[in-house]
Amino acid sequence: MYLLTSGLFILFVGIGLTARTQTVAPAQEPGPATKAAETESIDPDKCGRCHASEVAGYGLTTMSHSMQKAGKEPSGKVQTPSATITVSLHAGTTWQQLIEGEDKSRYSLSYVIGSGSHASGYLIELGNHLFQSPIAYYASRHSYDLAPEARTDTKSR
C-alpha cells in the first residue's frame, strides 16, 4: 500500500512539474475534418428526431449521467499509511489536496465519472491531459476512499 501511494504521489508531482515546464510545439493547421468538428455544434435533439423512444429511455438511466463537469462535490478525507488526500470546496471549485510528509499538491477536480448510484470517480486536468484521481466517493458510505485501481495489491503483480 505504501509503494502504491508513493507511486501515485510521485506520478502526480511529476506530471504537475512536467505540465508546468513543458514546451509546447506550435499547433499545426487543422485538417478539414478537424475544422468541421470545431465549428459544428451538435444539436442534442438531433438523435431524438428519428429515435425519440431510445433517447427518452436512455435519459432515464443512470448511465446517461455517467460523466459531467465537477461541481460542488462533498468534502472529505482519505487517510493512507503514508498520505492524506482531502477534498474541499473553495470559491465554487472542488479541490483535491495530496499531502505526503512535507510534500503538498493541489488539483481542481474537472470531471465526475460514474453514475453516482454506487460511486463517483474524478478526473483531474493537467495541461491538456486528463488523469484519474486515486480516490472515489462511495454513495452507500457517504465517504471517500481509494478508487478500486488505487487499491490493487502490488504483491500479486
Side-chain angles (χ1 to χ4, degrees), residues 27-38:
Q28 295 179 347
E29 183 65 29
T34 306
K35 285 183 182 178
E38 289 174 354

Side-chain angles (χ1 to χ4, degrees), residues 5-138:
T5 305
S6 298
L8 288 171
F9 176 75
I10 291 168
L11 176 66
F12 275 132
V13 171
I15 291 167
L17 293 174
T18 302
R20 282 186 231 130
T21 60
Q22 188 176 27
T23 304
V24 179
Q28 295 179 347
E29 183 65 29
T34 306
K35 285 183 182 178
E38 289 174 354
T39 59
E40 284 182 37
S41 63
I42 297 172
D43 180 357
D45 297 322
K46 189 173 185 178
C47 296
R49 290 183 191 138
C50 297
H51 307 282
S53 63
E54 288 86 351
V55 170
Y58 180 71
L60 297 174
T61 67
T62 55
M63 187 181 289
S64 70
H65 308 287
S66 62
M67 185 170 179
Q68 58 191 338
K69 288 235 179 222
K72 297 179 179 177
E73 305 308 312
S75 294
K77 177 169 68 169
V78 175
Q79 184 69 53
T80 71
S82 61
T84 301
I85 304 170
T86 58
V87 177
S88 57
L89 183 67
H90 295 285
T93 301
T94 304
W95 294 90
Q96 174 182 295
Q97 183 173 11
L98 173 66
I99 302 171
E100 186 170 30
E102 298 296 317
D103 298 321
K104 294 181 183 180
S105 302
R106 187 173 177 215
Y107 305 97
S108 67
L109 298 178
S110 301
Y111 295 96
V112 180
I113 51 176
S115 68
S117 58
H118 170 65
S120 297
Y122 300 97
L123 297 179
I124 299 167
E125 189 172 359
L126 298 172
N128 291 325
H129 302 282
L130 293 173
F131 297 91
Q132 186 172 357
S133 168
I135 62 169
Y137 183 81
Y138 294 90

